[in-house]
Amino acid sequence: MSRIEFSVYELATGRIVSAMSVYGEDERDANVPPDHGWVAGFHDPLRFYVGQEGVTSYPPSPAPHMTFDYASEQWVDMRGASEMTAAREAAMRALNGYVARKRNPIITDLPGQDMIYLRKEEEGRRYLDLPVEPETLEQFPLIAAEVGITAPTAYQLAMIWVQLGSLCVVIAAQLEQLRMSISAQIQSASTFAEIDALVEMIGTLP
């Protein structure tokens, strides 16, 4: 008796669940569970399914998280609300990481350093607003601590701090506008494709 090669599939979906070789039709029929059908031939369940046109090859999956929908015979995104939340959080991490990398060259990443920069700028402005240079730096402790290191005179140091403060405001405004704009798009995105596109765009920012 010759062997019969066949594949078993789910009648409801068309998903091939097994492929085997047996002797005779009786043995074949005994290996087909309820709510299942069979097609002739040995078909790899990972590569084929039974669609409207018969045994069909799965099309390439566009992404690892996609699920094959047997009704439409297409790959679809079946992730739910919790996965959407996680995708948004990952996109925000990518955005915040980009902003941090752009800020780091102009702002030393130390606890409280941003407050010190603000105090330096404020002190520098107070110094430059004086009608004449003071005899002592008693009222300007930050200038007194740094003069001779960053700049040789208190006036030059105050000028540097004020100019750096103005530069930081310009850069901060540009980055904040970008951060808020993309953040709003991430939060309003209604599909995973939109979020994925935003993450890809963040990765290409200069």
Side-chain angles (χ1 to χ4, degrees):
M1 182 182 296
S2 61
R3 297 184 69 85
I4 299 174
E5 290 187 346
F6 67 102
S7 301
V8 179
Y9 68 95
E10 297 173 340
L11 292 175
T13 63
R15 183 176 69 92
I16 293 177
V17 296
S18 63
M20 62 186 72
S21 174
V22 298
Y23 288 106
E25 295 180 355
D26 290 342
E27 188 176 355
R28 178 199 63 197
D29 295 342
N31 281 279
V32 179
D35 301 323
H36 287 67
W38 65 270
V39 290
F42 195 98
H43 303 289
D44 185 350
L46 297 178
R47 297 176 54 203
F48 300 96
Y49 69 99
V50 179
Q52 295 181 1
E53 303 297 326
V55 177
T56 308
S57 298
Y58 285 108
S61 174
H65 58 260
M66 302 294 272
T67 300
F68 191 75
D69 176 49
Y70 291 95
S72 63
E73 300 190 39
Q74 295 179 346
W75 291 97
V76 296
D77 199 326
M78 299 295 289
R79 290 175 291 180
S82 60
E83 289 87 356
M84 176 67 79
T85 298
R88 284 200 177 96
E89 291 174 350
M92 288 301 301
R93 286 194 297 272
L95 174 60
N96 292 335
Y98 168 78
V99 173
R101 289 192 298 273
K102 298 298 288 187
R103 286 176 177 171
N104 283 342
I106 58 173
I107 300 177
T108 303
D109 187 17
L110 290 174
Q113 194 66 30
D114 51 350
M115 181 193 70
I116 292 175
Y117 285 142
L118 291 174
R119 292 298 300 272
K120 282 184 175 183
E121 182 183 359
E122 183 272 332
E123 196 168 289
R125 291 187 183 280
R126 282 198 297 111
Y127 187 93
L128 295 177
D129 285 342
L130 294 174
V132 294
E133 292 194 49
E135 294 183 1
T136 72
L137 296 175
E138 183 178 352
Q139 301 299 316
F140 304 94
L142 292 174
I143 291 178
E146 195 170 326
V147 69
I149 300 175
T150 302
T153 69
Y155 178 82
Q156 290 173 321
L157 184 58
M159 285 291 294
I160 289 173
W161 286 354
V162 170
Q163 290 170 355
L164 282 176
S166 298
L167 177 62
C168 285
V169 168
V170 172
I171 296 175
Q174 294 172 344
L175 284 174
E176 189 65 3
Q177 180 185 38
L178 180 68
R179 187 187 72 82
M180 294 299 294
S181 174
I182 297 178
S183 176
Q185 293 178 62
I186 291 172
Q187 298 306 320
S188 65
S190 59
T191 67
F192 289 99
E194 290 177 293
I195 294 178
D196 292 343
L198 287 167
V199 172
E200 183 177 351
M201 182 268 290
I202 292 169
T204 63
L205 290 173

